[in-house]
Amino acid sequence: MHDDTRRATPTGGRRSGWGGKFLAFLFVIVLGVTGFLGYRGDLPRLSFGPDETTASLVGPALPPLDTTLVSHLAEPALVNVTAGIRPYGLGAAGSGIVLTADGEILTSQHVIKGADTVTVSDIGTGATYQATVAGYDSGADIALLELTGAHRLPVARIGSSAPLQLGDQVLAIGNAGGTGSPTAVGGSITNLDSSIVARNEADLSRKSLHDMIEVAAAVAAGQSGGALVDRYGAVIGVITAASGDLQKAIGRGPTGYAVPIDTAMNVVRQIRSGTPTDTVHIGPTATLGIMTSDAQPTGARIDIAIYGLPAYTAGLSEGEVITALDGRPITSSQMLKAALNAHKPDDVVRLDISDPADGRKTVNVTLTVGPPN
């Protein structure tokens, strides 16, 4: 078992509490984090005319967030998520949020990326379930799992990320370090639409994430996929990333990043609808069994056709370029992945292939089951 770690570079964002943009590499927690946010509302200033005094109505200050109380409210609806990769049995450890009593689990897509098997354990009872991936949006870093044999699970209270404000207190809870025991860390919101570029230390892939909630909290590996909740226990985000050593070296405190719950639940609703999109994949992942890169001037270049998988069996080889799938132009490796999102294992796809040596050809390929992209 290992903890995936990603580095992220902030690329901008408004409403920041730091007084300007900050460019640095940050560690991204690929394994799970949960947090709780508190609301702080200021009443509007009331004006009484040019010759009258101006006054502000100020309500009583909210007490500090009670870490113990909020943890007790949230922990029953959290689970540990373990992703396994055959044949080695290695994988990633993260966290998840229970959405339904019969076992719908919200987590981070990077937690289950590349997994052959996914196991979920209940934090409260220790019960273990096998999970299938119902769907995911890799761009939003959100995945939905379905558990086998689950019933009467405690369900998380889902709030809204819309009313959040800078300075709201938060609590992040999740499977820090993959130990199986929840860890809670507190902080406050410092940005409501942060953009970062995250690097996955496990496979060195990079991903741009936008409109993230930035939290001044020491989020740790293993907490990805956990719940960001307010002082009342309502989930308002799914934590996916954290800052690292470079930020500490220049004297800036630890920072965590969360996907707003409104964004996450939009993905969940799309998955539940059963209708795939260019970004949302539904059900088992279909694969050609190739590794690709962007071709010049256009297309997806086959770098490796894995032995025994569909592309290899169909006679495709390194150096050939996929230019269309079922008549849809393919201009990049990412566009090929998006086109495959709409397909399922056993679907037959028609590929237009360009080869510098042999010219052009069309090949029919039957897709097979692969790990989540």
Side-chain angles (χ1 to χ4, degrees):
M1 178 66 59
H2 70 277
D3 286 344
D4 293 331
T5 305
R6 294 189 293 183
R7 295 178 181 271
T9 305
T11 58
R14 298 159 293 171
R15 301 161 69 186
S16 174
W18 298 105
K21 296 182 179 178
F22 177 77
L23 299 178
F25 283 105
L26 303 177
F27 286 109
V28 172
I29 305 250
V30 174
L31 304 179
V33 181
T34 41
F36 301 99
L37 292 170
Y39 298 116
R40 187 186 65 188
D42 295 328
L43 294 178
R45 174 183 255 182
L46 300 181
S47 233
F48 297 96
D51 298 324
E52 298 175 308
T53 60
T54 300
S56 296
L57 296 179
V58 180
L62 291 176
L65 184 147
D66 189 325
T67 300
T68 301
L69 175 61
V70 175
S71 296
H72 287 166
L73 288 173
E75 286 178 9
L78 300 181
V79 295
N80 297 324
V81 179
T82 303
I85 301 176
R86 291 193 297 261
Y88 309 106
L90 301 175
S95 305
I97 304 162
V98 180
L99 297 182
T100 64
D102 60 355
E104 277 192 346
I105 307 297
L106 174 63
T107 190
S108 296
Q109 184 269 343
H110 70 251
V111 172
I112 52 92
K113 179 183 179 183
D116 295 302
T117 60
V118 180
T119 304
V120 172
S121 59
D122 187 288
I123 289 177
T125 66
T128 300
Y129 306 92
Q130 293 302 308
T132 57
V133 179
Y136 54 86
D137 184 337
S138 60
D141 199 19
I142 291 296
L144 183 66
L145 309 179
E146 293 178 343
L147 306 187
T148 300
H151 63 280
R152 301 178 64 181
L153 297 179
V155 176
R157 178 186 165 201
I158 301 301
S160 173
S161 46
L164 300 178
Q165 298 181 25
L166 296 179
D168 284 350
Q169 290 187 325
V170 305
L171 188 67
I173 307 177
N175 184 18
T179 62
S181 299
T183 299
V185 292
S188 59
I189 296 177
T190 52
N191 199 326
L192 287 167
D193 57 0
S194 186
S195 294
I196 60 174
V197 175
R199 190 181 75 179
N200 189 332
E201 290 284 316
D203 60 11
L204 302 182
S205 62
R206 293 177 181 271
K207 176 184 298 184
S208 295
L209 298 172
H210 305 282
D211 302 319
M212 305 287 283
I213 301 170
E214 183 183 85
V215 177
V219 171
Q223 290 181 309
S224 286
L228 189 67
V229 304
D230 63 22
R231 65 175 61 239
Y232 309 110
V235 179
I236 49 76
V238 182
I239 292 190
T240 191
S243 59
D245 293 338
L246 178 57
Q247 185 161 303
K248 296 176 184 177
I250 63 174
R252 192 172 183 228
T255 302
Y257 296 92
V259 178
I261 194 60
D262 293 355
T263 300
M265 291 307 295
N266 283 339
V267 174
V268 168
R269 283 186 285 272
Q270 186 67 42
I271 295 171
R272 286 171 174 169
S273 76
T275 304
T277 69
D278 282 354
T279 60
V280 177
H281 178 81
I282 308 293
T285 302
T287 184
L288 286 166
I290 57 178
M291 298 180 66
T292 62
S293 59
D294 291 345
Q296 298 299 327
T298 187
R301 181 185 187 276
I302 300 175
D303 297 323
I304 298 175
I306 301 172
Y307 178 80
L309 293 185
Y312 182 93
T313 303
L316 301 184
S317 59
E318 176 184 342
E320 294 182 321
V321 176
I322 299 173
T323 58
L325 187 151
D326 289 339
R328 172 181 177 178
I330 301 297
T331 60
S332 66
S333 179
Q334 187 59 42
M335 184 170 287
L336 176 62
K337 294 178 182 178
L340 289 171
N341 262 343
H343 288 277
K344 298 179 180 180
D346 297 326
D347 283 355
V348 178
V349 297
R350 187 180 75 258
L351 301 178
D352 290 350
I353 306 295
S354 174
D355 187 327
D358 301 329
R360 298 180 179 274
K361 62 182 177 181
T362 299
V363 179
N364 290 329
V365 181
T366 301
L367 303 176
T368 191
V369 177
N373 293 321

